[in-house]
Amino acid sequence: MAQTQPRDNLLLAALSPQTRRALEPDLTPIRQKLQQVLNSPGSPGDIVFPRTSVISVLTQTGDGQSVENAVVGYEGVFAVDGGATNVKGLVLAEGLAWGMSRAAFERHEDNHEFRAAVSLFEHQLLAFTCQSCVCQAFHTAEQRLARWLLEMRDRVLEDELSLTQEFLASMLGVHRPTVTIAARILQAADMIHYRYGRVTIVDRDALEEACCECYSMLPRPGAGSGLR
Ligand SMILES: [Zn+2]
């Protein structure tokens, strides 16, 4: 199992030194806990730039069920909407992040470079969300599970993931037996090893072949950064 390396947020790291220096006073180091829900404003992390943490962007129904729209890791930014919509964040992998208050974020939106970087990521997030809609409508559970595991692996940069089947079912918006069958299929093909709430990706290339085209339709985080 690879060790989690301390790393910066790529969106922030790509900014010019001048812009980064202007943001620094408003960036607070925060540690995000596993399964922490991000839906209330006013914390230091109204706006979250993950470093080693990974956030699921979920839409919730009135009776508390939810389905995942996208995943945000060290490549991007997540904004807590404060109850304006049914979208919330859920921490999938605990770790470090930079937090910024909404007031500071709005101040820095005057910075063209920062605004452009955030806007570019928002477009990527919209593409991710649209792709997830297609995925949920047309692709099989094992294709979607393979895709989800690869998306996670690309953001935690580890082959071993701590995940219960119940949690996986909730992320994929399917019943738990469906995840059990899908995981068995991938395990029987020696792509993953699943045991006691821990999934190990054994053959990443085979897993990529097993997943739907949705995975290759989206840019992979860290492309060109040497952190893949
Ligand atoms: Zn798909």
Side-chain angles (χ1 to χ4, degrees), residues 131-132 134-140 143-144 147 211-215:
Q131 200 67 46
S132 294
V134 169
C135 203
Q136 284 154 22
F138 297 113
H139 299 148
T140 67
Q143 285 176 316
R144 293 177 55 210
R147 177 192 169 205
C211 77
C212 48
E213 78 263 19
C214 299
Y215 179 67

Side-chain angles (χ1 to χ4, degrees), residues 25-43:
D26 293 313
L27 292 172
T28 306
I30 55 176
R31 176 172 284 279
Q32 299 198 287
K33 293 191 173 71
L34 186 65
Q35 300 201 20
Q36 183 183 344
V37 177
L38 310 173
N39 63 353
S40 56
S43 66

Side-chain angles (χ1 to χ4, degrees), residues 139-157:
H139 299 148
T140 67
E142 60 265 29
Q143 285 176 316
R144 293 177 55 210
L145 176 59
R147 177 192 169 205
W148 195 89
L149 292 172
L150 288 171
E151 300 282 11
M152 272 296 282
R153 195 252 166 256
D154 287 347
R155 288 165 178 82
V156 297
L157 304 178

Side-chain angles (χ1 to χ4, degrees), residues 12 22-30 40-49 77-82 97-109 114 118:
L12 296 177
L23 297 176
E24 278 308 335
D26 293 313
L27 292 172
T28 306
I30 55 176
S40 56
S43 66
D46 281 348
I47 313 295
V48 179
F49 300 89
V77 55
F78 175 78
V80 175
D81 82 347
W98 294 113
M100 183 182 274
S101 70
R102 181 163 291 281
F105 180 80
E106 287 171 358
R107 260 197 332 272
H108 289 296
E109 279 189 308
F114 179 59
V118 170

Side-chain angles (χ1 to χ4, degrees), residues 102-123:
R102 181 163 291 281
F105 180 80
E106 287 171 358
R107 260 197 332 272
H108 289 296
E109 279 189 308
D110 288 342
N111 180 310
H112 175 74
E113 186 190 12
F114 179 59
R115 193 177 64 237
V118 170
S119 175
L120 178 64
F121 181 73
E122 284 172 346
H123 280 96

